Amino acid sequence: TDRKKLHTAPLGQAFRLRPFHVLVATGGGYAGYRKYEDYKLEQLEKRGIEVPVRLASEWEVALYKSVPTRLLSRAWGRLNQVELPTWLRKPVYSLYIWTFGVNMKEAAVEDLHHYRNLSEFFRRKLKPQARPVCCVHSVISPSDGKILNFGQVKNCEVEQVKGVTYSLESFLGPRISTEEMHFSQAPPGNSFQQQLVTKEGNELYHCVIYLAPGDYHCFHSPTDWTVSHRRHFPGSLMSVNPGVARWIKELFCHNERVVLTGDWKHGFFSLTAVGATNVGSIRIYFDQDLHTNSPSYSKGSYNDFSFISNNNKEGIPMRKGEHLGEFNLGSTIVLIFEAPKDFKFNLKAGQKIRFGEALGSL
């Protein structure tokens, strides 16, 4: 009897199911299944076959959210900081280069032994001549990436990919007080979209750029503008690749993001850096108070920070092409801005673009 107790007690404890473990296992398995489905959709698109939109149900989104992506992203961040032995650097980075098609000839430092850890390699700088900044067009691409969508904002809804939208107000949050902005007060009865448009005859435009893991991970100022305010939304860190963006409505509103708002010569201008799986760390160079991917946060919360003060009544001036921030892997940048009705994008949905190339102009 004693021997029986000795062997069965630990067995009972070993096979005791806990809710956290069930959620992680189920959510992780489902996330893997979704990755496989995304791969199949990509293959169909490459063959020119149009894929019908199928949005995730609430339980599917909840199941995906059960994966501890924030915890995994922090763990990945720490792993990236581990210094690699000199002899191991070239094999590790070469595998990454081969997997994601990185062009190291553009890097300021091509020698792989120079990068002490994965984080330094991800955030590598480019040679100055590698990305010439277009001087002709008024708005340039702030980063390397793939154009997911662009165009006019209609009915307070923005397309993250074709046919899948999200709410403009949910994405940007409540309108910032006019004391912090240089805009005139819009009539209170107007819609959120109309309140952002400050000049008669202007329209609101948007552009979504997806950064793949092999892309250059820094982002720059897309035009000459002044940053007045930063709003940080803690949130989930779900994947933002085109397959998932096509599947989850309001994906960008679920995920952690940093919204920079201000104005340019035509009125309202904003740039939003959206976090993703393994990309909880978003850095804005001039904002030392920003800390992303904290261990805990309140659902639906956000925090504001104004760059306008008694000593600085204008905000942070940014020149077109100037360094603005960086991701630690790759993610998405969303531009939402006001411009005259004759503003035209020089883009095609799905095209690859590089930092410095033209997005559009008047």
Side-chain angles (χ1 to χ4, degrees), residues 157-176:
E157 292 279 324
V158 185
E159 283 193 318
Q160 57 194 29
V161 293
K162 186 178 179 180
V164 183
T165 63
Y166 56 93
S167 162
L168 180 65
E169 187 168 6
S170 297
F171 182 69
L172 296 178
R175 190 168 185 266
I176 301 157

Side-chain angles (χ1 to χ4, degrees), residues 179-245:
E179 288 78 9
E180 298 182 28
M181 308 293 281
H182 305 300
F183 309 150
S184 58
Q185 179 66 52
N190 285 8
S191 69
F192 182 80
Q193 178 178 335
Q194 291 171 324
Q195 290 177 26
L196 295 180
V197 177
T198 63
K199 298 181 180 179
E200 189 175 350
N202 280 2
E203 296 288 347
L204 206 61
Y205 297 87
H206 74 101
C207 183
V208 183
I209 305 169
Y210 166 68
L211 289 75
D215 288 327
Y216 168 57
H217 302 303
C218 297
F219 50 93
H220 301 245
S221 176
T223 192
D224 295 337
W225 65 307
T226 302
V227 184
S228 306
H229 187 272
R230 179 258 292 161
R231 176 168 283 161
H232 172 216
F233 291 86
S236 301
L237 289 174
M238 294 184 283
S239 171
V240 292
N241 74 51
V244 177

Side-chain angles (χ1 to χ4, degrees), residues 130-144:
R131 295 289 186 276
V133 175
C134 176
C135 299
V136 178
H137 294 79
S138 55
V139 184
I140 61 168
S141 176
S143 66
D144 290 4

Side-chain angles (χ1 to χ4, degrees), residues 343-361:
F343 181 88
K344 300 294 182 184
F345 284 102
N346 301 315
L347 302 171
K348 292 181 179 179
Q351 79 172 71
K352 292 288 290 182
I353 198 165
R354 303 202 302 176
F355 155 61
E357 294 179 346
L359 286 184
S361 191

Side-chain angles (χ1 to χ4, degrees), residues 102 115 168 175 215 277 304 306 359:
V102 178
Y115 302 100
L168 180 65
R175 190 168 185 266
D215 288 327
T277 307
D304 287 339
S306 175
L359 286 184

Side-chain angles (χ1 to χ4, degrees), residues 78-86 89 93 115-118:
R78 291 183 180 179
L79 179 64
N80 286 352
Q81 298 293 334
V82 175
E83 185 169 342
L84 297 175
T86 306
R89 293 175 189 176
Y93 301 146
Y115 302 100
R116 294 173 298 176
N117 52 48
L118 284 165

